[in-house]
Amino acid sequence: MIKIQYNFIFIFIFIGFLNHCYSQGNENWIDKVSPKLFEKLEKSDKTDFIVYLKNQYRVENNEDKLNKTEQAKTAFLQLKENNYKSQKDIINLIDRLNYDYRRYLIVNAILVTGDKKLVKILANRRDVSYLAYDSPVKKEKELDISSKEINEVKTTWGIKMIEADKVWNLGFDGSGVVVGGQDTGYDWTHPAIKTKYRGFVNDTLADHNYNWHDAIHEISLLHNDSIIDPSNNPCGLDSQKPCDDHSHGTHTMGTMVGKRPTDSLIIGVAPEANWIGCRNMERGWGKPSTYIECYEWFMAPTDLEGQNPDPAKSPDVINNSWGCPVKEGCDSTNWQYLELAMDNLRNSGVFVVVSAGNDGIRNCGSVNDPSAMFENSFAVGATRLITDTTGLTFRDTIAGFSSRGPVTVDGSFRLKPEITAPGQGVLSCVPGNEYRFSSGTSMAGPHVAGVVALILSANPDLRGKVDKIAQIIEETADPRYDIDSCRGIDEPVLPNSVYGYGRIDALAAVEKALEIKTSTEDKISMDSDIVIYPNPAADIINIKIEDNSDIIAYSVYDQFGFLRIRNTGLNSRQINISGLNSGIYFLKVDINDKTIIKKLIKL
């Protein structure tokens, strides 16, 4: 009797426990599913959706402890350990149920092609945070420019405005730096950027492994076509070589590294940098999964089969000229995951440049889309050219379309953008071996990515030092004060919601980078310590080298990048600077296989 009563009580409690678990899941699982996903599944049996897990991992910023390669490898291994391990059970479940999926590493998420049944099963799991419909996203809208503007702009005015050409005169042109871009793709055969592609071997051969990734695996539903036809879809799906089906990406890459061979016109801020690319949009339409996939690929590029990831091959800086607005699928339910993907890439040592958007029209709070709205993004607004009546002198001011801060959409009111750069009437390359003027913050962002390449070309030991590079750019920007009424400030302030810290200044940024003591300088001081004295000096400066290495050549440049003194073939230890005007100069000394740059002051 007692035994029967005990068993009855046990069964009653156990059933109550199950009912509690079921009712709890039954009550909460719907809240974990995007309404847009429910809406989509009412119209089709299956659709793509992203399963975000609760156990998200944020990579620590170790730029003060690790070099660029170490940062990349550490971040990759940490994410692989955490995210792939925590995905094990749910992946086994999806496998058993025989649904298609793609795993992500940069965020703890899985892209699944499933139905209502699978949605309910996954949403009821305790390790699942949210199920989001993988809705299409359109690239930043293009802006037309008038024929008058084209006639006024005869060359790449943006490069001259930020004084990148003077940086080249100092000997820094992006050499040794790798820039990346995720966009509509890239026409790698365009002569303006072909030889700068990292996979370039010769005119007829290229190695696209680790240099190109196509995140487009299906035709966007928004095109209302389903047939892959070269006439309407020139790149197809899963392209095995760089391809651009919309021209936007090729134009942005040209602004970073391009050079027009026909007349040697340099259209790229860092013309000797190499580039790699990822396509995240199909004829201008992408979606959260494609953006996440490209972010992940840049952290650890893979071969063309998507295998054997190698974080050592990650780029130094990437440009992102796209936005993901609320009306197109990115909202408060998934912002955090896109932001985490960007942050994890950034904390692996890659500088992330993003366009602020073209929704300004003098409206406050118009920086409101991923990734520009995120705290750690380096958002770029656009300036336009102003010339005087003679056309001989020019300056720039904010473009009317450039989005303004602060960020209000998430209630943070954080200041954006960080910086501005030339973005109206920008000449660059487009598919078909052609060139075109375009406008937008899409054109401004690549100027900033190019300046990052120049900084790293001048001081390679800043690779991976994302915070330090951002600080250099902000501190050396051409200050543009504005009455920040968007933040309720009635007097000119810096930074502000229009210009951020100002318009980027490539020459000042590189000069600042050269002043920073780095591990490279420490190494030089141990095996070939250079001292210049006296400094400041009025006439003669002396060069002392501890190990008596031969001086192959030396050059003296002024602060504007112009060569003032050049000496080759003579192992001289003295330089006569009496003919120079008072001011700041840079001494470049070539010693055996090293180049050392020192700042000097002429009295």
Side-chain angles (χ1 to χ4, degrees):
M1 185 71 177
I2 296 176
K3 185 176 182 180
I4 294 174
Q5 184 180 17
Y6 174 81
N7 287 341
F8 175 78
I9 294 172
F10 175 79
I11 294 170
F12 178 80
I13 293 173
F14 182 69
I15 292 174
F17 173 74
L18 289 179
N19 285 336
H20 170 72
C21 291
Y22 177 77
S23 64
Q24 185 181 41
N26 192 47
E27 178 186 359
N28 293 333
W29 76 270
I30 292 178
D31 295 334
K32 294 162 66 175
V33 182
S34 166
K36 291 185 178 180
L37 178 53
F38 280 128
E39 181 181 334
K40 181 64 178 178
L41 287 172
E42 289 298 323
K43 301 176 182 178
S44 59
D45 293 334
K46 284 187 177 182
T47 191
D48 289 345
F49 58 90
I50 304 176
V51 182
Y52 294 107
L53 278 69
K54 288 182 178 179
N55 180 19
Q56 295 292 329
Y57 187 87
R58 183 174 295 275
V59 173
E60 182 182 355
N61 186 329
N62 285 312
E63 66 177 67
D64 292 333
K65 304 174 185 176
L66 306 175
N67 64 32
K68 168 69 166 54
T69 302
E70 292 168 340
Q71 287 181 72
K73 290 181 177 179
T74 299
F76 177 77
L77 292 175
Q78 288 176 346
L79 287 166
K80 185 177 181 180
E81 171 69 19
N82 180 82
N83 294 352
Y84 276 12
K85 183 178 180 179
S86 67
Q87 292 173 14
K88 181 179 179 180
D89 289 343
I90 195 169
I91 288 295
N92 288 337
L93 171 63
I94 297 172
D95 273 331
R96 288 197 305 271
L97 296 175
N98 199 29
Y99 290 94
D100 294 329
Y101 64 89
R102 175 185 291 270
R103 304 174 72 172
Y104 293 116
L105 176 147
I106 200 164
V107 290
N108 200 359
I110 306 163
L111 175 65
V112 182
T113 302
D115 51 21
K116 292 180 182 178
K117 176 184 175 182
L118 183 61
V119 166
K120 184 173 182 178
I121 291 172
L122 297 180
N124 266 299
R125 291 180 60 93
R126 293 183 176 181
D127 56 353
V128 169
S129 175
Y130 194 73
L131 276 65
Y133 172 48
D134 193 27
S135 56
V137 180
K138 189 169 176 55
K139 71 170 181 63
E140 182 185 338
K141 62 185 179 183
E142 289 187 337
L143 298 168
D144 294 329
I145 57 174
S146 67
S147 58
K148 178 182 178 181
E149 287 173 313
I150 292 179
N151 291 333
E152 287 178 351
V153 184
K154 298 296 185 182
T155 186
T156 49
W157 69 271
I159 286 177
K160 296 181 181 298
M161 183 65 69
I162 66 174
E163 299 191 320
D165 52 339
K166 293 179 180 178
V167 175
W168 306 335
N169 291 336
L170 286 175
F172 308 118
D173 50 17
S175 299
V177 181
V178 178
V179 302
Q182 58 166 317
D183 212 293
T184 61
Y186 304 92
D187 177 10
W188 85 273
T189 62
H190 196 294
I193 60 175
K194 182 176 182 178
T195 61
K196 295 296 101 184
Y197 175 48
R198 192 170 70 177
F200 175 79
V201 177
N202 55 47
D203 285 337
T204 60
L205 181 64
D207 183 1
H208 303 301
N209 291 290
Y210 299 97
N211 301 313
W212 163 255
H213 181 71
D214 192 358
I216 303 303
H217 314 299
E218 61 183 4
I219 292 177
S220 173
L221 298 175
L222 298 177
H223 287 299
N224 297 317
D225 56 30
S226 58
I227 300 175
I228 300 175
D229 185 333
S231 65
N232 63 14
N233 186 345
C235 294
L237 307 177
D238 299 297
S239 176
Q240 296 293 286
K241 59 184 179 181
C243 178
D244 186 355
D245 60 15
H246 206 281
S247 80
H248 188 264
T250 302
H251 195 282
T252 62
M253 190 58 71
T255 302
M256 289 189 270
V257 304
K259 182 177 181 179
R260 189 163 64 188
T262 54
D263 56 5
S264 298
L265 175 68
I266 299 177
I267 58 175
V269 175
E272 292 303 318
N274 291 120
W275 67 270
I276 62 176
C278 183
R279 182 166 74 129
N280 62 14
M281 286 173 274
E282 197 267 321
R283 289 174 286 173
W285 290 94
K287 48 188 179 178
S289 63
T290 59
Y291 299 131
I292 291 173
E293 186 172 330
C294 283
Y295 273 141
E296 181 167 316
W297 185 80
F298 281 123
M299 174 180 280
T302 65
D303 58 28
L304 289 175
E305 301 303 317
Q307 302 298 315
N308 306 306
D310 187 353
K313 292 182 170 63
S314 64
D316 297 299
V317 54
I318 68 167
N319 179 69
N320 301 268
S321 293
W322 51 269
C324 186
V326 172
K327 63 182 179 181
E328 293 169 346
C330 289
D331 54 35
S332 58
T333 63
N334 56 26
W335 283 333
Q336 60 180 312
Y337 304 109
L338 287 170
E339 182 172 20
L340 181 61
M342 187 205 72
D343 282 353
N344 282 340
L345 177 63
R346 184 183 187 276
N347 289 341
S348 74
V350 178
F351 196 98
V352 180
V353 176
V354 301
S355 296
N358 299 330
D359 296 317
I361 317 300
R362 297 177 176 82
N363 286 333
C364 301
S366 48
V367 179
N368 52 19
D369 298 331
S371 296
M373 62 180 280
F374 296 148
E375 180 176 358
N376 291 319
S377 69
F378 203 75
V380 184
T383 62
R384 64 182 180 89
L385 177 66
I386 300 176
T387 59
D388 66 8
T389 54
T390 66
L392 298 177
T393 61
F394 60 97
R395 57 187 178 87
D396 60 342
T397 188
I398 197 68
F401 57 76
S402 185
S403 290
R404 273 75 163 161
V407 177
T408 58
V409 68
D410 63 355
S412 68
F413 290 90
R414 69 175 62 93
L415 179 67
K416 292 288 174 176
E418 273 71 29
I419 206 77
T420 51
Q424 184 163 317
V426 176
L427 177 66
S428 190
C429 52
V430 292
N433 296 349
E434 296 180 355
Y435 297 83
R436 188 174 74 197
F437 289 93
S438 291
S439 296
T441 57
S442 282
M443 286 64 245
H447 281 82
V448 175
V451 170
V452 173
L454 294 180
I455 289 172
L456 295 177
S457 179
N459 190 341
D461 282 344
L462 286 172
R463 292 183 68 234
K465 314 300 183 187
V466 175
D467 287 342
K468 178 58 69 175
I469 295 170
Q471 181 182 353
I472 290 172
I473 292 174
E474 291 169 353
E475 290 181 352
T476 59
D478 183 1
R480 300 297 174 88
Y481 295 92
D482 199 89
I483 297 176
D484 199 345
S485 57
C486 290
R487 291 190 295 161
I489 302 173
D490 295 328
E491 58 184 21
V493 293
L494 193 72
N496 55 71
S497 297
V498 177
Y499 292 97
Y501 283 87
R503 197 254 299 127
I504 195 166
D505 186 328
L507 180 61
V510 166
E511 289 177 346
K512 182 73 173 180
L514 290 170
E515 295 176 3
I516 297 175
K517 188 174 181 62
T518 64
S519 59
T520 298
E521 288 181 277
D522 291 338
K523 180 178 179 181
I524 291 173
S525 66
M526 288 187 290
D527 57 12
S528 57
D529 190 12
I530 270 195
V531 178
I532 58 174
Y533 64 94
N535 189 17
D539 44 27
I540 301 295
I541 60 171
N542 301 282
I543 304 175
K544 179 181 179 182
I545 307 175
E546 290 296 336
D547 64 2
N548 292 318
S549 296
D550 290 336
I551 297 178
I552 299 173
Y554 65 77
S555 308
V556 177
Y557 297 86
D558 64 22
Q559 60 181 321
F560 302 107
F562 292 108
L563 179 66
R564 296 305 184 189
I565 300 175
R566 174 72 173 169
N567 191 345
T568 60
L570 297 176
N571 190 25
S572 174
R573 294 294 200 273
Q574 286 191 334
I575 304 175
N576 188 338
I577 61 171
S578 59
L580 300 178
N581 296 325
S582 299
I584 299 175
Y585 295 85
F586 292 93
L587 171 64
K588 178 182 176 183
V589 183
D590 296 321
I591 304 174
N592 297 335
D593 60 344
K594 298 182 179 68
T595 296
I596 302 171
I597 295 177
K598 294 285 187 177
K599 184 176 180 179
L600 65 89
I601 299 176
K602 167 65 167 62
L603 296 175

